Amino acid sequence: MSDAPNPQTAAAGTSQAQGKQMDFHPQPRGGQPRPWAFPAPDRGVLGNGLTVLRCNRPGQQVVAVEVTLQAPLDAEPAGLDGVATIMARAFSEGTDKLDAEQFADELESCGASIDAYADHAAVRVSLEVPASRLRKALGLLADALRAPAFPESEIERLVGNRLDEIPHELANPTRRAAKELAKELYPASARMSRPRQGTEETVSRIDAAAVRAFYDRHVRPSAATAVVVGDLEGVDLDAVLEETLGVWTGAATQPRTAPPITADDSGRVVIVDRPGAVQTQLLIGRIGPDRHDRVWPAQVLGTYCLGGTLTSRLDRVLREEKGYTYGVRAFGQVLRSSTDGTGAALLAVSGSVATDVTGPALADLWEVLRTLAAEGLTDEERDVAVQNLVGVAPLKYETAAAVADTLAEQVEQQLPDDYQASVYAELARTGTVEATAAVVAAFPPDRLVTILVGDASQIAEPVRELGIGEVKVVSGG
């Protein structure tokens, strides 16, 4: 055998020797975690009556602005459902100074974007822009709110776009289920019983005059709030706001009195027939307490344990054990929140299963609810939920847009400015017993309206055999 050294062994030895001679710096150690709390805004009022919430977030070079307008959907005139949505979309379609194309060019030139939508609580207009161009972008936003052009040709285009959207929404099983649940839960006279963005019949009636009339009646600075979040160092925000949003004028208005939200949650099943469907879309719901109720944190925690994540009870049974679905979620969605007790939240379970296991999947879902009522949550489930809900908060609110959106939401729901910070503390303090009681009250097995979008010829009889309520079949058109 040769006494020559192995080249690989020699190279390794050389590398090790060199490594011993290198001067490595000590590995850095992590510091102590800094305590986190949801940012507290400063509140003020401009001379024109516009309320302003501002929140300086050093390092957030993209500033987010959210403007909430007291123009809720129940303020829409009879027969014109959707006019708030068309108005919101038309805010960026020109002003008294710029036509639609020029307005878009000016926005692009300062790297800004404007979006708007209408909901049951308010109309929301959103702006995002680099901090260095905040003044110019706020000027454009102010012009859009102060003097929107609402040109007839653009309104006609927006109405046409909305009419084109409606068939696609009806064809979408998730959207179709939501439409049917609203129709079933709320009285026909209630705005919440009808599609948020209007129907083909109501949208087709909307013209520029109707949009202008709705704007004139409801959009004014004294009934609006602007939230500004981002890196505001070196920005004289008071001066910028007065020069832009501050020039918006309008007569003062009295706060709107919203009708109470009522619903019929007697247990029943509605099947939206889709012949030949290979899956059934499930949406099971009722209404419950909103964020002004003391039970809200416990309800959030219990609902998360039921169906908020892949480790929840519903997923564990329906997805992991039975393989019926890719996922089922339980959630609470605030419809409208108010200090006078007229608000409510939609409490729901949503998901989809294969057509041939619709009956067994619903049977197991109801068994989960009954077991929960009989045995309660475990301390482990509660602890995991608290860790997920509270622990993710610093990541959830990393961006200025996320903070601004939450602050604007608090305004729309008539919540105090420190609400979000306090609710995380309440979640951390909520015990297993309280969370169990809240989720059991939220999802009583005999008081749920079940919407199924699927093939009625295959699923109707198995569902009837479950005894979870009277079964009705409606056309899927």
Side-chain angles (χ1 to χ4, degrees):
M1 295 180 62
S2 172
D3 293 330
N6 184 306
Q8 293 181 345
T9 304
T14 301
S15 177
Q16 291 171 1
Q18 291 175 344
K20 290 179 181 179
Q21 297 171 4
M22 293 179 67
D23 182 20
F24 289 109
H25 293 289
Q27 182 177 358
R29 296 182 179 181
Q32 290 296 319
R34 290 176 295 178
W36 179 89
F38 185 81
D42 294 323
R43 177 180 283 263
V45 181
L46 300 185
N48 61 357
L50 176 69
T51 299
V52 176
L53 273 66
R54 69 190 76 193
C55 187
N56 184 29
R57 303 288 288 163
Q60 295 288 345
Q61 292 300 319
V62 176
V63 177
V65 181
E66 298 280 348
V67 180
T68 66
L69 309 171
Q70 289 182 17
L73 296 187
D74 60 34
E76 292 177 320
L80 288 178
D81 291 357
V83 69
T85 292
I86 299 300
M87 180 192 73
R89 295 181 179 183
F91 277 130
S92 58
E93 299 300 329
T95 68
D96 61 343
K97 300 176 182 178
L98 304 169
D99 63 26
E101 186 174 346
Q102 291 169 333
F103 188 86
D105 288 343
E106 288 296 306
L107 273 178
E108 185 177 357
S109 71
C110 60
S113 63
I114 287 180
D115 193 17
Y117 66 90
D119 210 338
H120 290 293
V123 168
R124 180 90 70 87
V125 185
S126 306
L127 166 71
E128 286 192 84
V129 62
S132 59
R133 295 165 183 165
L134 178 61
R135 183 187 299 268
K136 180 177 179 180
L138 277 177
L140 292 169
L141 175 63
D143 286 345
L145 294 170
R146 175 189 60 80
F150 297 145
E152 187 171 340
S153 60
E154 294 296 340
I155 298 300
E156 289 177 356
R157 181 181 63 80
L158 293 172
V159 167
N161 289 346
R162 176 65 198 133
L163 290 174
D164 289 341
E165 293 170 357
I166 293 174
H168 295 284
E169 293 172 358
L170 293 176
N172 182 295
T174 302
R175 300 289 291 272
R176 186 64 179 86
K179 177 178 181 291
E180 198 64 32
L181 180 61
K183 181 180 177 182
E184 280 292 321
L185 269 181
Y186 312 114
S189 59
R191 180 63 181 86
M192 284 188 178
S193 70
R194 305 189 296 276
R196 180 169 61 87
Q197 298 180 78
T199 64
E200 185 174 355
E201 179 183 3
T202 62
V203 172
S204 63
R205 298 191 186 117
I206 297 171
D207 56 17
V211 173
R212 172 62 64 181
F214 188 76
Y215 168 87
D216 289 341
R217 186 172 181 81
H218 299 290
V219 180
R220 56 199 68 185
S222 62
T225 298
V227 178
V228 184
V229 180
D231 192 334
L232 305 176
E233 297 294 336
V235 177
D236 186 352
L237 190 60
D238 289 329
V240 171
L241 289 172
E242 287 292 353
E243 293 170 6
T244 55
L245 291 171
V247 303
W248 174 23
T249 60
T253 183
Q254 295 297 319
R256 282 184 50 79
T257 300
I261 299 174
T262 59
D264 176 11
D265 62 0
S266 56
R268 59 197 186 276
V269 180
V270 177
I271 299 176
V272 180
D273 189 21
R274 290 283 174 86
V278 298
Q279 285 190 323
T280 301
Q281 182 68 39
L282 319 175
L283 183 58
I284 303 161
R286 63 192 299 269
I287 67 168
D290 69 0
R291 286 179 168 141
H292 288 278
D293 196 295
R294 289 184 301 174
V295 79
W296 179 262
Q299 184 173 274
V300 169
L301 193 58
T303 301
Y304 192 88
C305 293
L306 174 63
T309 181
L310 291 175
T311 61
S312 68
R313 288 205 177 187
L314 287 175
D315 253 32
R316 191 165 64 243
V317 173
L318 300 182
R319 184 178 67 89
E320 294 184 17
E321 295 179 10
K322 300 300 179 71
Y324 292 148
T325 178
Y326 289 114
V328 176
R329 291 290 171 268
F331 60 91
Q333 175 187 346
V334 176
L335 300 167
R336 191 181 68 228
S337 191
S338 174
T339 56
D340 61 9
T342 61
L346 173 66
L347 307 172
V349 175
S350 177
S352 60
V353 299
T355 297
D356 60 348
V357 297
T358 301
L362 285 174
D364 284 335
L365 194 157
W366 253 253
E367 183 59 27
V368 169
L369 297 178
R370 296 186 183 106
T371 301
L372 186 61
E375 301 176 2
L377 297 168
T378 66
D379 290 340
E380 182 182 2
E381 287 175 310
R382 176 265 175 200
D383 292 346
V384 169
V386 169
Q387 290 170 8
N388 289 346
L389 290 169
V390 178
V392 77
L395 297 176
K396 181 178 179 181
Y397 296 110
E398 277 189 323
T399 65
V403 174
D405 176 67
T406 297
L407 289 173
E409 191 176 71
Q410 290 181 173
V411 170
E412 293 167 354
Q413 297 177 13
Q414 301 178 30
L415 295 165
D417 293 343
D418 65 350
Y419 173 80
Q420 198 62 40
S422 65
V423 80
Y424 281 116
E426 287 294 330
L427 284 169
R429 287 193 292 264
T430 300
T432 306
V433 173
E434 293 84 359
T436 296
V439 71
V440 168
F443 295 95
D446 60 340
R447 302 292 299 180
L448 295 170
V449 178
T450 301
I451 307 298
L452 306 175
V453 181
D455 190 336
S457 67
Q458 297 191 55
I459 65 177
E461 197 53 40
V463 172
R464 286 192 180 96
E465 293 173 357
L466 299 176
I468 58 176
E470 179 184 353
V471 177
K472 176 176 68 174
V473 178
V474 301
S475 171

